[in-house]
Amino acid sequence: MPARRIIPCLDVKDGRVVKGVQFRDHRDAGDIVEQANRYRDEGADELVFYDIGASAEGRSIDLGWVREIARIIDIPFAVAGGLRTRDQAAACLDAGADKISLNSPALERPQLIDELARDFGSQCVVLGVDSFAVQGDYFVKQYTGDPDRTLDAGRRTLDWVREACDRGAGEVVVNCMRRDGVRGGYDLAHTQAVVTAVDVPVIASGGAGIPEHFRDAFLDVGVSGALAATVFHDRIIAIPELKEFLTACGIETRR
C-alpha cells in the first residue's frame, strides 16, 4: 500500500475555520489562510475544506478562498460544499483545488458522480459520507452542516458507498458522526465495513484523540488516510511527532 496520509480537516463557515462536536456547537478555530499555511509547514499530506453551510443553504463555495489557498500551499487539497453541477466543480478545479468532495449534492442527484468522473477523472472525485450507526447498521445523513436542517438520507451507508464507487467515485471519506469531536477513537468497525465494501481508498474520519487511534485505523482497518480536526486545530497532536510515532509502529508515512 502507498504511504498513509495524514489529512487535517478544515470546516469553513463565513470564511473562517470552525469546529464542532458531533456536527453541532461550532466554535471559531482560526483564519482559513493562516491554518492552511500552518498545516503546510507542519507536514500535512493533504487538506480538506468543507464549506459546512453551503449545501443546506442552497449555494456553492466561495471561489475567492479556494484561489487564495491554491496560491499559498503546494500540497493537494479537496473542497466540498454545495457543488451541484459540473460547471461549479470545474470552477473549483480551475481555481486550484485538486479534488472535489461530494456529499449532499450527490445524494440529491447521484448522476453528478458519473458526470464528474467522466469529465475530470475518478481521482478528482471524493465521496464524503456522514454516517450514523444504529443498532449494528449504518445510515447516511444529509445537510449535516446545519443541525436544524439535517435529514436522514434514506440510504444505508454500505449500499450508498457501493453505488457511488460504481458511478466513479475514486475515494471515500467515512465521517462517523457519533465519534466526531469526542476524541475517543475512530469507529473501527464502522470504517472496516466500508473498506470491505469498496475497492477504492478509504479515509477514516471522526474521533481521533491520541496517536494510537491513527495507528489502529491504519494497522487494524487498512485505511489509506486518517482525517482529523480537533487534535490538530488545538495542537493536542503535532503532525511531525505523529508521523514519527507511526513510523516507529512500522507504518509508512510521507516525510
Side-chain angles (χ1 to χ4, degrees), residues 21-49:
V21 175
Q22 295 181 338
F23 292 61
R24 294 175 176 270
D25 302 321
H26 292 92
R27 58 180 171 84
D28 189 271
D31 177 78
I32 187 171
V33 174
E34 291 177 359
Q35 290 281 37
N37 266 324
R38 170 195 158 193
Y39 287 127
R40 174 204 62 197
D41 293 344
E42 290 182 358
D45 298 305
E46 297 181 16
L47 298 177
V48 177
F49 297 89

Side-chain angles (χ1 to χ4, degrees), residues 84-145:
R84 290 179 165 87
T85 70
R86 183 257 183 218
D87 289 347
Q88 288 173 340
C92 286
L93 295 171
D94 289 344
D98 298 278
K99 300 177 183 180
I100 298 299
S101 184
L102 302 174
N103 191 329
S104 295
L107 289 161
E108 295 168 0
R109 190 171 70 88
Q111 294 83 358
L112 179 61
I113 300 171
D114 304 76
E115 295 166 7
L116 300 192
R118 177 196 66 213
D119 289 356
F120 308 122
S122 291
Q123 78 283 352
C124 289
V125 183
V126 180
L127 180 74
V129 183
D130 294 334
S131 188
F132 203 82
V134 180
Q135 296 181 344
D137 205 347
Y138 312 107
F139 299 90
V140 180
K141 296 281 187 177
Q142 195 170 1
Y143 309 128
T144 55

Side-chain angles (χ1 to χ4, degrees), residues 114-197:
D114 304 76
E115 295 166 7
L116 300 192
R118 177 196 66 213
D119 289 356
F120 308 122
S122 291
Q123 78 283 352
C124 289
V125 183
V126 180
L127 180 74
V129 183
D130 294 334
S131 188
F132 203 82
V134 180
Q135 296 181 344
D137 205 347
Y138 312 107
F139 299 90
V140 180
K141 296 281 187 177
Q142 195 170 1
Y143 309 128
T144 55
D146 184 340
D148 295 328
R149 301 184 187 182
T150 298
L151 300 173
D152 291 321
R155 290 178 176 268
R156 294 179 64 249
T157 299
L158 300 186
D159 293 339
W160 174 229
V161 297
R162 290 188 189 103
E163 177 183 341
C165 291
D166 287 344
R167 289 181 177 276
E171 187 168 272
V172 176
V173 177
V174 188
N175 302 311
C176 299
M177 295 182 66
R178 287 189 185 276
R179 301 295 183 99
D180 179 69
V182 301
R183 293 164 44 195
Y186 295 108
D187 189 330
L188 300 183
H190 193 161
T191 308
Q192 180 67 70
V194 175
V195 170
T196 302

